[in-house]
Amino acid sequence: LTDDRCICWGNQRLGGGFASHLQQVSRVQGTDAAFAAIWGDGKVISWGSRHSGGDSSQVQEQLVDVQELQATDSAFVAIRADRTVVAWGDASAGGDCSRVQDQLVKVAAVQATDAAFAAILEDGGVVAWGLQSSGGNCGRVQDQLRNVRKIQATQCAFAAINSEGGVVTWGLRQLGGDNSEVSDQLRN
């Protein structure tokens, strides 16, 4: 809406039918059964299925100065003004980033598959977390993830483009997580 309101409808258990109209909303993001919205003051509210990120009460105090939201099928991540992140929702689908939290500083952008997140850091490095088969572990290609400019995702794989024009992939092989057969053709 043009007046910064958000109106919800549908099954309340799945994020629809929110009890009141949200006002001064700058951004809304959704999982498969929940929504999260950034208020004009940078705070976040979420609603819908608790198992899909609809309950952010465990991290609510950290959800300040939020500038961006990203979502898997059942978890959210918020990028704050200080370029750190806060995650919540299904832990196995990226809602728990504690394993890599110390690396998630100076985050430039975050991309998501169905159950994993990948963050590009300002120095061009990449940090991934979530379900390993959905790209939540980039360990096998970590040494190639330098000077990354952009990341795109399929349902279960990530593709990173570096400053030299090279493409690095990880995640489920059948859904794009292994580009070894065409890597020579993916050069700038």
Side-chain angles (χ1 to χ4, degrees):
L1 300 170
T2 58
D3 59 359
D4 297 332
R5 288 184 302 144
C6 175
I7 301 172
C8 307
W9 61 91
N11 186 324
Q12 191 164 2
R13 287 184 313 113
L14 303 178
F18 191 64
S20 65
H21 300 298
L22 301 173
Q23 298 202 15
Q24 297 180 344
V25 172
S26 65
R27 177 158 178 157
V28 176
Q29 183 66 267
T31 63
D32 64 355
F35 290 103
I38 303 173
W39 297 107
D41 64 1
K43 293 182 182 174
V44 172
I45 184 171
S46 62
W47 66 97
S49 170
R50 175 184 188 147
H51 302 293
S52 293
D55 179 3
S56 55
S57 61
Q58 297 283 349
V59 295
Q60 197 64 52
E61 290 183 10
Q62 299 171 58
L63 292 172
V64 294
D65 297 325
V66 173
Q67 296 184 330
E68 300 173 45
L69 292 169
Q70 186 57 271
T72 64
D73 283 356
S74 55
F76 291 101
V77 67
I79 303 176
R80 299 179 343 164
D82 66 0
R83 308 318 288 172
T84 60
V85 302
V86 179
W88 72 96
D90 182 354
S92 65
D96 178 5
C97 61
S98 59
R99 179 179 59 84
V100 295
Q101 187 75 54
D102 61 325
Q103 300 170 57
L104 292 169
V105 293
K106 298 185 179 180
V107 173
V110 176
Q111 186 59 267
T113 63
D114 68 341
F117 292 108
I120 302 174
L121 306 180
E122 289 177 357
D123 68 2
V126 173
V127 178
W129 72 98
L131 190 63
Q132 183 170 339
S133 61
S134 289
N137 183 338
C138 58
R140 76 173 175 82
V141 295
Q142 189 70 58
D143 62 326
Q144 300 171 56
L145 293 171
R146 307 260 187 272
N147 301 313
V148 171
R149 293 187 341 214
K150 188 165 183 127
I151 294 179
Q152 288 296 330
T154 67
Q155 181 179 2
C156 296
F158 291 104
I161 301 172
N162 63 31
S163 60
E164 292 82 40
V167 177
V168 180
T169 60
W170 70 97
L172 191 61
R173 180 180 184 174
Q174 299 90 321
L175 295 179
D178 181 358
N179 67 339
S180 59
E181 293 180 15
V182 296
S183 62
D184 290 343
Q185 299 168 43
L186 296 174
R187 300 262 184 246
N188 191 2

